[in-house]
């Protein structure tokens, strides 16, 4: 499936689009089709796909709507990275291609595949519902429309950036936790949950937070930062995730859930020794019973392979621990002060 | 399927507000929203500038009455004045209501909702959230609909109304995921499907799907369309793509400059300058270009929108999306260089004829938002009034349908009717002999509309336009759907959308030829003045024997007498 280009114009380049194909009606497994087309500077990946659909193969299927980077329809993986096709320049993508002159286009990951580059967004919508991703106004419905809430610049700035999210699901596609656990809340939903929880007009902060600290919730994130790196709107998603965690520790306490206990164990180890005492970490996070029931077989395997962490007495404090403890306490004090001033 | 009380077609601002309000009015009703995209993808998200409401937060002396006057004058006196009164008096309440349920409006120093100046408005009354106002409103409404448990049929494409005499029995639609054609028996149907300006294709700021689906369905069912010839050209589309640079860019102080570096708006609107109404500014840009004072480039002639004097801080905080778009689609950073712009088809003033409650002439069928024509915008819509329109009349249509739904007896849609629709789709997917290519037909439609039914119109061009549209309609009968799959057949979707655009294009061109005057967005070079005696009336388009038949309807006056419109 090659479109020949008779004259080779300097302002144009021949680009091969390696497009992921799968039609559940006829295909037992996905494959790639190659489309070689001439592309000039300034053309976006979406315009190139439109060209292929109109001139080469009408059956190539993808979503597109506004074509201006605001509706979020055309999220897909271009050369392995999730992005919006409509705001990605072919020549710029090409400059980073591993295979010269080739651009690989695949559907978003971590969502069920429907056809070609189209994935099912319903699981994301279901999670938005599950985590109450809406403002539940503190104003009674009968009073609405009569007066405004007064919102200060400071309050507004807390959620301003988060409201840029267009639910394109690039972060969902890049999330390393979702790859292992499809039930995980997902970065976009954490971002939206955060945005709702810091909104002073909302009235169900505690309820939402209670859901977020449960299994598959906010504590499952491993800080890989892939969501933030791939966000098409440059939203600091990790700030939102950290924000929810700090909020959870503050309003629900350090003994709340295994996630909070895990964080507390980290803090206490670092303060005491300057490093982790890994052997006892599972006990302190999930309790003795849970650990014995769930991690014993793995522990046995680790012993057999001689990969066990050293027992607690063997973990010696790091060099310069006294000096470090001073700095650590000072830092903790700063964080506390910050939280207090935020609350005002 | 159990009959619905209300089926809302379209999940943008109007559709979602209608759903929310209908559930509020009567929680016992069985309500569904059917949308060809996930609701949060709807084109409401692209509205950047804001929504007008005389909150008087910024200018303490602003009043609803001034808003009414500005809107009527802006409409070139073609708006129905009772409808404008509803629009403007409901405005403060609805903006506050949106605020109350979580819309993140930008704020003034006293912590109230921020407002800024907008074209054609006597006071700064446009409420905004940076330059992402539509996006944040759409998100808020979608969130609230999820909260209320609205039933969504996402990625369903509406095909036709099922009609029994003067009554609608409901809707027939295609499930994109499976390709199945399904019946939605319903006591009431609300169309909230957005505008039809995409028929201008590359010379349009609209999303690919703004193809007037609801209008075309209503038209085919015999419901009249109103004022279809009025298509608003926005002055500042990006040169290459037609994508929009919000009026907020001028509201914040941007200049329009010709190639001599002159702020040419001084010649056309000496008082309001860049903030004149859209039709006037669009014509001014086009005139500068036609008279050789535009810039030239391989991608077409253009004018400069200069923001450089506003400074990096203001551009970054108030116009971040514009900066991003200028960089992505023109390779220009507005902090450092002017943005190349030219007028782009942006908004459809015309639409399904409704009364002030959203009712159409067909019992049980309602319309709201850009797909409807109440009319509040008349011959020219003011910036900031379209978001307002979808909110106010979306809510009213939802409320009215909720009150009236149970008055209508539900009736079943027969299996045969559904089978016929499916058969029709199937036949277009199995072409024989000579066939037409979808892409070519669509390209030609966009071309002929831009060239012959564009900003400046005259009889000979319009006749050519009509002839070409009719020829395209003929050729369309042989169009081929090249993708034969049932699952998510986007090629079939494109073809069905083209059919809708072709039906509507004829009404736009025919209305434009008939209206021998210049009013608002409709500018006839052969009839350069407004002719109130002959043409102070609405144009009505009805489908009769496969072609458009034009009629008329009087304009409701009552508040302001006809005046010459100057700025």
């Amino acid at each position: 499936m090659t479109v020949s280009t008779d004259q080779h114009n300097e302002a144009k380049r021949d680009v091969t689009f390696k497009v992921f194909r799968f039609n559940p009606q006829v295909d037992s497994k996905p494959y790639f089709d190659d489309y070689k087309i001439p592309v000039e500077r300034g053309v976006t990946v979406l315009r190139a796909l439109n060209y292929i659909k109109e001139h080469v193969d009408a059956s190539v299927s993808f979503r597109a709507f506004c074509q201006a980077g605001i509706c979020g329809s055309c999220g897909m993986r271009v050369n392995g990275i999730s992005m919006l096709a409509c705001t990605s320049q072919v020549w710029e993508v090409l400059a980073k291609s591993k295979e010269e002159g080739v651009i690989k286009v695949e559907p978003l990951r971590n969502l069920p595949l429907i056809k070609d580059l189209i994935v099912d967004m319903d699981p994301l919508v279901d999670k938005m519902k599950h985590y109450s991703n809406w403002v539940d106004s503190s104003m009674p419905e009968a009073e609405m429309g009569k007066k405004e809430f007064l919102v200060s610049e400071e309050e507004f700035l807390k959620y301003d950036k988060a409201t840029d999210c267009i639910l394109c699901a690039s972060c969902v596609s890049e999330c390393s936790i979702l790859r292992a656990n499809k039930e995980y809340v997902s970065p976009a939903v954490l971002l939206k949950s955060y945005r709702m929880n810091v909104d002073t007009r909302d009235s169900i902060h505690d309820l939402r937070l209670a859901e977020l600290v449960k299994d598959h919730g906010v504590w499952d994130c491993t800080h890989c930062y892939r969501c933030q790196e791939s966000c098409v709107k440059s939203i600091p998603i990790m700030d939102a995730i950290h924000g929810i965690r700090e909020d959870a520790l503050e309003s629900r306490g350090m003994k709340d859930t295994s996630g909070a206990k895990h964080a507390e164990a980290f803090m206490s180890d670092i303060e005491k020794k300057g490093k982790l005492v890994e052997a006892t970490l599972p006990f302190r996070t999930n309790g003795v019973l849970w650990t014995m029931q769930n991690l014993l077989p793995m522990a046995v395997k680790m012993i057999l392979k001689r990969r066990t962490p050293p027992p607690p007495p063997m973990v010696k404090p790091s060099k310069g621990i006294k000096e470090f403890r001073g700095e650590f306490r000072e830092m903790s004090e700063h964080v506390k002060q910050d939280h207090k001033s935020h609350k005002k | 399927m159990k009959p619905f009380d209300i089926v809302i077609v379209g999940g943008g601002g109007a559709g979602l507000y209608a759903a929310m309000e209908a559930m509020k009015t009567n929680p016992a009703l069985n309500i569904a929203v059917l949308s060809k995209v996930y609701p949060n993808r709807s084109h409401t998200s692209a509205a950047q500038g804001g929504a007008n409401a005389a909150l008087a937060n910024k200018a303490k002396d602003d009043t609803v009455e001034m808003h009414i006057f500005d809107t009527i004058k802006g409409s070139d006196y073609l708006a129905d004045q009772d409808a404008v009164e509803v629009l403007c008096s409901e405005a403060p309440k609805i903006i506050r209501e949106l605020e109350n349920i979580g819309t993140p409006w930008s704020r003034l120093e006293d912590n109230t909702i921020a407002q800024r100046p907008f074209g054609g408005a006597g006071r700064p009354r446009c409420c905004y959230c940076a330059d992402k106002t539509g996006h944040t409103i759409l998100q808020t409404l979608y969130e609230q609909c999820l909260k209320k448990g609205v039933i969504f049929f996402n990625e369903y494409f509406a095909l036709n109304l099922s009609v029994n005499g003067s009554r609608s029995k409901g809707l027939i639609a295609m499930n994109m995921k499976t390709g199945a054609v399904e019946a939605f028996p319903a006591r009431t149907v609300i169309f909230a499907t957005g505008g039809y300006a995409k028929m201008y294709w590359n010379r349009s700021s609209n999303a690919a799907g703004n193809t007037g689906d609801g209008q075309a369905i209503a038209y085919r069912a015999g419901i009249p369309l109103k004022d279809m010839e009025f298509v608003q050209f926005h002055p500042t589309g990006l040169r290459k793509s037609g994508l929009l640079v919000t009026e907020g860019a001028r509201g914040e102080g941007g200049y329009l400059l010709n190639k001599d570096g002159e702020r040419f708006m001084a010649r056309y609107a000496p008082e309001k300058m860049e903030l004149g109404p859209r039709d006037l500014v669009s014509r001014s840009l086009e005139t500068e270009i036609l008279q050789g004072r535009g810039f030239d480039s391989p991608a077409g002639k253009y004018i400069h929108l200069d923001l450089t004097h506003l400074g990096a801080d203001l551009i970054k905080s108030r116009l971040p999306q514009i900066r991003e778009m200028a960089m992505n689609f023109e390779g220009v950073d507005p902090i450092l260089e002017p943005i190349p712009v030219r007028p782009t088809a942006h908004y459809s003033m015309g639409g399904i004829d409704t009364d002030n409650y959203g009712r159409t002439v067909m019992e049980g069928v309602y319309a709201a938002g850009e797909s409807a024509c109440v009319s509040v915008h008349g011959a020219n819509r003011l910036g900031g009034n379209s978001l307002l329109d979808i909110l106010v009349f979306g809510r009213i249509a939802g409320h009215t349908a909720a009150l009236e739904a149970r008055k209508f007896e539900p009736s079943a849609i027969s299996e045969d009717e559904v089978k016929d629709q499916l058969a029709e789709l199937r036949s277009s997917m199995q072409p024989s002999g000579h066939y037409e290519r979808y892409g070519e037909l669509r390209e030609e439609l966009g071309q002929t509309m831009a060239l012959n039914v564009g900003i400046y119109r005259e009889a000979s061009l319009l006749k050519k336009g009509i002839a070409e549209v009719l020829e395209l309609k003929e050729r369309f009968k042989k169009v081929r759907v090249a993708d034969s799959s049932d699952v998510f057949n986007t090629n079939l979707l494109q073809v069905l959308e083209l059919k809708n655009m072709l039906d509507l294009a004829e009404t736009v061109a025919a209305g434009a030829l008939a209206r021998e005057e210049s009013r608002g967005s409709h500018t006839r070079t052969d009839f350069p003045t407004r002719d109130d005696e002959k043409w102070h009336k609405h144009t009505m388009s009805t489908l009769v024997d496969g072609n458009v038949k034009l009629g008329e309807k009087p304009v409701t006056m009552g508040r302001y007498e006809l005046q010459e419109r100057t700025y």
Side-chain angles (χ1 to χ4, degrees), chain A residues 19-266:
Chain A
V19 181
F20 181 98
R21 303 299 308 272
F22 177 70
N23 177 359
Q25 270 187 302
V26 289
D27 303 324
S28 55
K29 59 178 189 202
Y31 59 96
F32 285 89
D33 265 333
D34 288 359
Y35 304 99
K36 193 174 183 183
I37 58 167
V39 181
E40 59 184 29
R41 181 189 288 281
V43 170
T44 59
V45 172
L46 179 61
R47 274 183 61 195
L49 288 173
N50 278 331
Y51 181 90
I52 291 168
K53 189 170 179 64
E54 263 173 43
H55 296 96
V56 192
D57 182 351
S59 70
V60 177
S61 303
F62 51 91
R63 291 193 186 98
F65 199 63
C66 79
Q67 307 172 72
I70 189 64
C71 82
S73 297
C74 64
M76 56 185 75
R77 278 186 302 144
V78 180
N79 279 345
I81 300 169
S82 307
M83 57 181 81
L84 293 179
C86 74
T87 55
S88 306
Q89 297 284 332
V90 171
W91 282 28
E92 280 174 27
V93 173
L94 211 53
K96 291 180 216 151
S97 280
K98 275 184 200 146
E99 200 178 335
E100 207 183 312
V102 176
I103 291 177
K104 200 173 185 182
V105 188
E106 296 163 281
L108 294 178
R109 265 195 305 230
N110 296 334
L111 290 163
L113 180 62
I114 294 177
K115 181 190 183 187
D116 294 352
L117 303 171
I118 299 170
V119 295
D120 190 353
M121 290 285 167
D122 285 350
L124 189 60
V125 177
D126 291 341
K127 284 175 186 167
M128 285 167 59
K129 283 196 226 170
H130 181 83
Y131 291 96
S132 309
N133 278 187
W134 47 73
V135 166
D136 196 325
S137 182
S138 58
M139 188 178 285
E141 213 162 73
E143 292 302 306
M144 284 185 183
K146 292 179 187 161
K147 63 177 203 301
E148 302 173 22
F149 284 106
L150 296 179
V151 176
S152 70
E153 173 88 0
E154 198 188 344
E155 288 170 328
F156 170 75
L157 287 176
K158 278 187 196 167
Y159 55 69
D160 178 35
K161 198 61 197 156
T163 63
D164 283 358
C165 174
I166 56 174
L167 296 168
C168 69
S170 287
C171 61
V172 172
S173 170
E174 294 293 319
C175 177
S176 51
I177 303 304
L178 274 168
R179 286 190 82 177
N181 173 17
K182 298 286 178 281
E183 284 179 71
Y184 172 57
V185 49
S186 81
V189 175
L190 284 173
L191 177 72
K192 259 185 122 61
S193 303
Y194 173 78
R195 171 255 176 278
M196 302 302 162
N197 264 359
V198 294
D199 196 319
T200 47
R201 298 168 293 185
D202 175 68
S203 66
I204 55 164
H205 165 277
D206 294 356
L207 194 106
R208 200 179 289 113
L209 193 59
E211 209 52 44
L212 287 164
V213 297
K214 287 184 183 165
D215 286 356
H216 318 302
V218 68
W219 292 110
D220 284 15
C221 166
T222 56
H223 319 201
C224 74
Y225 277 76
R226 288 295 303 132
C227 56
Q228 183 158 326
E229 282 167 20
S230 66
C231 178
V232 304
K233 292 285 170 190
S234 309
I235 304 169
I237 304 175
M238 280 309 301
D239 286 2
I241 297 177
H242 288 311
I244 297 174
R245 288 180 169 188
E246 282 170 22
D247 184 11
L249 290 179
E250 187 136 334
S251 53
R252 301 178 59 89
M254 297 293 278
K255 301 284 180 205
D256 179 33
T257 57
S258 54
K261 285 180 202 154
H262 193 64
E264 191 199 21
F266 257 70

Side-chain angles (χ1 to χ4, degrees), chain B residues 115-337:
Chain B
Q115 298 186 284
R116 65 177 156 213
F118 238 53
R123 293 288 183 279
R125 72 169 72 92
C126 188
C127 310
Y128 63 92
C129 171
D131 56 0
K132 53 179 177 183
T133 315
H135 160 72
T136 59
I137 288 177
L138 184 68
Q139 292 288 332
T140 306
L141 291 173
Y142 186 48
E143 289 153 13
Q144 293 298 314
C145 284
L146 292 180
K147 171 170 176 269
K148 283 195 176 290
V150 172
I151 301 165
F152 285 102
F153 290 88
N154 294 330
E155 309 198 304
Y156 272 70
F157 184 76
L159 295 169
N160 274 313
L161 272 175
S162 168
V163 179
N164 180 15
S166 64
R167 278 266 306 129
S168 145
K169 295 187 288 182
L171 195 82
I172 298 176
M174 178 176 65
N175 180 349
M176 293 296 299
K177 273 181 198 156
T178 61
V181 173
E182 299 173 21
F184 289 82
R187 289 181 160 96
T188 64
V189 173
I190 303 176
F191 287 110
T193 55
Y196 53 82
K198 197 60 189 176
M199 64 173 69
Y200 289 79
W201 206 252
N202 277 342
R203 289 290 299 275
S204 167
S205 65
N206 285 191
N210 285 63
T211 50
D213 303 335
Q215 294 91 318
I217 291 171
Y219 180 61
R220 287 196 292 265
I223 298 171
L225 306 178
K226 186 162 72 188
D227 293 338
M228 292 296 283
E229 64 270 32
F230 294 101
V231 175
Q232 181 170 74
F233 284 80
H234 193 289
T236 54
L238 290 179
R239 161 191 54 178
K240 289 182 186 167
S241 54
L243 295 173
L244 199 71
V245 179
T246 169
E247 191 163 314
R250 281 170 288 137
E252 296 291 351
Y255 296 151
L256 289 169
L257 304 175
N258 62 19
K259 72 171 180 189
D260 306 322
E262 181 194 10
R263 277 180 78 187
F264 56 84
M265 282 311 296
R267 264 201 296 285
Y268 307 94
E271 258 183 58
K272 297 248 169 168
M273 294 294 286
E274 279 84 358
L275 286 179
R278 287 186 179 167
D279 56 339
L280 182 76
V281 182
S282 285
R283 280 197 298 277
S284 308
L285 257 89
E286 197 78 358
T287 306
E288 290 294 307
I289 289 172
L290 288 174
Q291 295 181 357
R293 291 189 294 275
F295 298 84
D296 219 342
S297 79
K301 294 183 164 58
Y302 62 95
I303 289 290
H304 271 161
L305 171 61
D306 190 0
L307 309 181
T308 53
H309 58 285
L310 299 179
D313 286 349
L314 188 141
I315 293 174
K316 281 183 191 166
S317 66
R318 303 272 181 82
L319 304 164
Q321 254 200 65
I322 291 310
R323 179 163 178 246
E324 208 179 291
M325 279 176 53
M327 298 201 290
N328 278 335
F329 301 109
E330 290 285 349
V332 161
D333 183 349
I335 291 173
L336 308 171
E337 292 170 81

Side-chain angles (χ1 to χ4, degrees), chain B residues 396-425:
Chain B
I396 290 174
H399 187 68
T400 314
L403 293 179
E404 297 179 348
R406 292 283 166 97
K407 287 187 205 162
F408 304 121
E409 276 306 309
S411 35
I413 297 174
S414 73
E415 291 264 333
D416 286 350
E417 211 174 328
V418 176
K419 276 184 195 153
D420 287 352
Q421 290 279 331
L422 185 64
E424 201 182 311
L425 293 186

Side-chain angles (χ1 to χ4, degrees), chain B residues 21-35:
Chain B
E21 186 67 21
M23 291 203 72
K24 206 155 128 185
T25 306
N26 185 353
L29 294 182
N30 187 12
I31 299 166
V33 175
L34 190 141
S35 171

